Amino acid sequence: MRRYSIRSVSNMNSPPSSIKRYNYFSQLVINNSVLTAAVLTGTIFLLKAAQLGPAQLLAWFHSVRHAHLFSVTFLAIALGTLYLMQRSRSVYLVDYACFRHTSDCRIPLASFVEHARQVPSTDDKSIQFMKRMLENSGIGDQSYLPTATHYIPPSHTLSDARDEAEQVMFSSIDDLFARTGISPEAVDIVVTNCTVFSPVPSLADMIVSKYKLRSDVRSVHISGMGCSAGMIAVEAVKSLLQVAPQGAHALVVSTEIVSFLKFYTGRNLSMLLPNVLFRMGGAAVLLSTSRSKSRFKLMHTARTITAAQDRSYQCAFQQEDDKGEVGVNLSRDLVAVAGDTLQANITAIGSLVLPLSEQLQFVLSLIACKLLMNRKMKPYVPVFRMAFEHFCIHAGGRAVIDAVQRSLRLSDEDVEPSRMTLHRFGNTSSSSVWYELGYIDAKVRMRKGDRVWMIGFGSGFKCNSVVWQCIQSHSNLDGPWAGCIHRYPVGTTKVAR
């Protein structure tokens, strides 16, 4: 039994206090190099002015031509105006709401296995494989599947998918409007994302119809982008809001419609994994260019795609097996590909968020690796805990969370929201990061000024990052964790394969 809980970091191997003080001082100087240079320049100028004396300074000031003073003043004003014109408009997260499941959709692990046994085309080998994967998945007995999938055999009609979409999206949006006090008439932009279910009219159109949004609302639906599509939707909204009138509001709805993700009944083991991992869920998010009433400020976004490489492109692939059964094939290279894509993404995001001291150590280690031509020597891994207080890593599965934790050298406390979200709700695709943020809120750990790193992985293969900074903290006790947060964190048992 391994328990993921809050615990202090051991100081048994900590360096001597004198070394720690030196490292702290050196980091302080490097990270504030611009301020240090300004202080040194100002000090030199004051010392020089003190040597000249008041009379000499006054004489020098009178000797400067008025045209020169005007030119310097005009140049400063022009540069300031140009900076303000080119500076991107800030985008804020007003609030978010996650879909709150009903008890009739709960699917304990034993029920899932027994249900799979009743599907005529599923053989014993497939059952044993799915059972073993479930035991190692990190998913608990409280996850949910839509009503249609509880039938024997499961129902996967277009009508079932629409019903699930309406249940997940509309209830989440209702909660969001109630929480923020924003009326549907105030929504200027709607962006929805769902990978496998792309109906006509689109999910975005369903929302416009349900809430009678304005005829000039901008609507976009993103499909086929995998579990990282929620991060892509946020970035798309960021671009749309920056060219919209000041104070505009954008609604983002992220979900995956499991009713349309057909239960694979073939014999290809790699295509059985989605049956095990994916669960029902969704989230509605309201963004705006108005800081008023907002909870978070959007700081950075970074997208990395490796689809140019065949191994990456094919590691999560929807296809037919040799019997014509359609499913999503998750290759054995998935975790390795995710790790490589993550490395590329953290290189992009690191230059935006890491202190200069960490960036300098990373660059020097890369140079050392190149010069020494030592393949065993690995580049320095920056300490991302210096840049973030909270991490929301896509709860795609235990192996994915483990790989990210190792790659970023995170503590069990850092990845606790991801592990507990996987245990409680399973893999809810692009909405999982919002359930993780809900966990942090429900635990009342979010403080003003805290920075949050959301990391999403998706087919293609993609790794996308979104960075938020809390500007107004308050607990979210009526969300999906209400009534159960006191039981978490829980232990998870790892069963040998």
Side-chain angles (χ1 to χ4, degrees), residues 419-484:
R419 292 196 191 279
M420 297 306 105
T421 295
L422 179 65
H423 181 272
R424 179 67 178 83
F425 299 105
N427 181 353
T428 61
S429 190
S430 58
S431 65
S432 66
V433 291
W434 298 107
Y435 284 95
E436 293 162 27
L437 186 60
Y439 181 87
I440 297 169
D441 274 339
K443 284 290 186 181
V444 199
R445 295 177 182 173
M446 189 67 66
R447 298 288 183 269
K448 184 176 181 180
D450 284 0
R451 296 153 297 179
V452 184
W453 185 9
M454 287 184 172
I455 308 173
F457 298 96
S459 57
F461 194 80
K462 293 179 283 293
C463 178
N464 302 327
S465 292
V466 172
V467 178
W468 307 95
Q469 184 170 36
C470 179
I471 58 177
Q472 184 180 161
S473 63
H474 63 78
S475 58
N476 185 3
L477 302 179
D478 62 341
W481 295 93
C484 67

Side-chain angles (χ1 to χ4, degrees), residues 161-162 165-166 169-170 190 192-195 197-209 220-222 253 255 257:
R162 287 187 185 276
E166 291 178 357
M169 294 194 308
F170 296 164
V190 176
T192 57
N193 69 267
C194 181
T195 298
F197 185 51
S198 185
V200 179
S202 70
L203 297 184
D205 296 331
M206 290 169 63
I207 294 172
V208 174
S209 174
V220 178
H221 176 67
I222 300 171
V253 180
T255 187
I257 304 305

Side-chain angles (χ1 to χ4, degrees), residues 66-100:
H66 291 172
H68 292 166
L69 289 175
F70 175 79
S71 299
V72 171
T73 304
F74 177 80
L75 181 62
I77 294 174
L79 290 175
T81 303
L82 184 64
Y83 168 77
L84 292 174
M85 290 177 62
Q86 293 187 341
R87 187 179 63 174
S88 298
R89 185 182 295 170
S90 296
V91 174
Y92 301 92
L93 168 61
V94 181
D95 214 333
Y96 66 97
C98 298
F99 172 64
R100 291 185 286 182

